Amino acid sequence: MTAVIGEQESGWRGSKELWLEAAYQLLIEGGIDNVRILSLAKMLKLSRTSFYWFFKDREALLDALLLLWQEKNTSSLLRQAQAPAASLADATLNLFDCWLDNKLFDSILEHAIRSWGLQSPAVAQALKEADTLRMEAIKLMFIRHGSEPLVADVRSRALYLTQIGYISMNTQEDTATRLLRVPSYVAIFSGALPSQQELENFQQRHPASPQ
C-alpha cells in the first residue's frame, strides 16, 4: 500500500482511504510517533480539518491502522493455513506463500506494528491475541495432515516464531536465496520434503523478485 500524495479523487478533503494510506506510509517509515494529523495533512496537501470528516480523532485513525493489520496479515495467514493441500509439505508451502507475497502478508507492516506494541499495552495485547490465533491455525493445519497434537503444537510454534524472528530482526533475504532454502525449511518444520511437483507449483507462484 502506497500513499498517493496530494491526490484528491473524492473531493478537496481527500477520502478515508487516502488518509489511512498516508498514515500507513508514515507508520512504516518512522513508527507510530510519526503518525500525526498535521504530518498527514502536510503529506497530502490537505487541511487538518479535512481529517475530521473521516476520523473522530487520532485514536480513531490508529484503531483503523490496527484493523488494517489484523485484516491483512492475520486473516491472510489463517486462510493460507486452511487452504486445501495434497500433503503436509504442500500445506506448509501454502503457508510459506505469506512469507514471499507482500500482498498476502505485509512484513513491513508487521514489523511496524510489533514496534508499536513495545509502546502500547493495548497493541501488545492485540499482538498476543493475533499470535495465539495464528499459531493455533498452523497447529490445526498440522493435525489435519496427521500430526499428533503435541508434535503439531511444537512444529507450529517453531515455524511461526522463526518467521516472526525474521521480521522482528528485519532480516534481509532476496527471493532467490529464500526459494533455495524453502525445501529444507519445509522438511525441518513439517518433517516431510515437498515433492518436485509441489516445489515447482510453489516456485511458479513466486518468481525470483524482491518481496
Side-chain angles (χ1 to χ4, degrees):
M1 182 184 293
T2 303
V4 184
I5 310 304
E7 189 171 316
Q8 300 180 26
E9 294 178 332
S10 62
W12 67 273
R13 299 184 184 92
S15 66
K16 185 173 184 177
E17 292 73 22
L18 192 65
W19 285 95
L20 184 58
E21 286 180 9
Y24 165 94
Q25 198 67 34
L26 290 180
L27 173 68
I28 65 173
E29 288 176 358
I32 197 61
D33 290 338
N34 199 38
V35 183
R36 299 288 174 184
I37 298 171
L38 180 58
S39 300
L40 291 167
K42 288 180 178 179
M43 183 181 187
L44 294 171
K45 299 179 182 178
L46 295 169
S47 67
R48 288 183 64 184
T49 56
S50 298
F51 171 87
Y52 295 100
W53 281 86
F54 308 106
F55 297 97
K56 179 183 176 182
D57 50 26
R58 180 174 179 265
E59 287 304 312
L61 175 65
L62 299 188
D63 288 344
L65 275 174
L66 199 58
L67 181 61
L68 174 69
W69 160 74
Q70 291 168 333
E71 291 179 343
K72 184 167 190 180
N73 286 6
T74 299
S75 296
S76 291
L77 189 147
L78 297 185
R79 283 194 301 270
Q80 290 302 111
Q82 295 163 4
S87 67
L88 178 53
D90 194 34
T92 305
L93 288 172
N94 284 339
L95 197 61
F96 279 22
D97 286 342
C98 291
W99 319 145
L100 285 151
D101 187 347
N102 194 57
K103 293 178 182 178
L104 281 177
F105 191 96
D106 189 334
S107 60
I108 296 174
L109 177 59
E110 186 77 14
H111 184 274
I113 296 294
R114 290 187 179 277
S115 297
W116 180 10
L118 298 176
Q119 302 173 239
S120 166
V123 175
Q125 180 61 31
L127 281 160
K128 182 178 179 180
E129 291 170 2
D131 288 338
T132 299
L133 280 173
R134 294 170 182 183
M135 283 190 284
E136 182 65 17
I138 299 170
K139 175 184 173 180
L140 291 175
M141 179 191 82
F142 280 109
I143 291 173
R144 283 197 307 274
H145 288 275
S147 295
E148 294 295 327
L150 179 58
V151 172
D153 178 63
V154 172
R155 288 192 184 280
S156 68
R157 293 176 65 83
L159 188 162
Y160 178 71
L161 294 176
T162 296
Q163 182 57 32
I164 294 303
Y166 259 84
I167 293 168
S168 298
M169 294 173 66
N170 199 24
T171 301
Q172 301 300 312
E173 185 177 68
D174 61 73
T175 303
T177 300
R178 181 164 290 197
L179 286 171
L180 186 65
R181 292 171 174 163
V182 160
S184 296
Y185 272 133
V186 172
I188 289 168
F189 293 134
S190 73
L193 276 168
S195 69
Q196 187 60 37
Q197 186 60 58
E198 288 168 345
L199 276 177
E200 288 176 4
N201 292 341
F202 180 76
Q203 290 165 353
Q204 286 174 6
R205 300 198 297 268
H206 305 289
S209 59
Q211 184 172 351

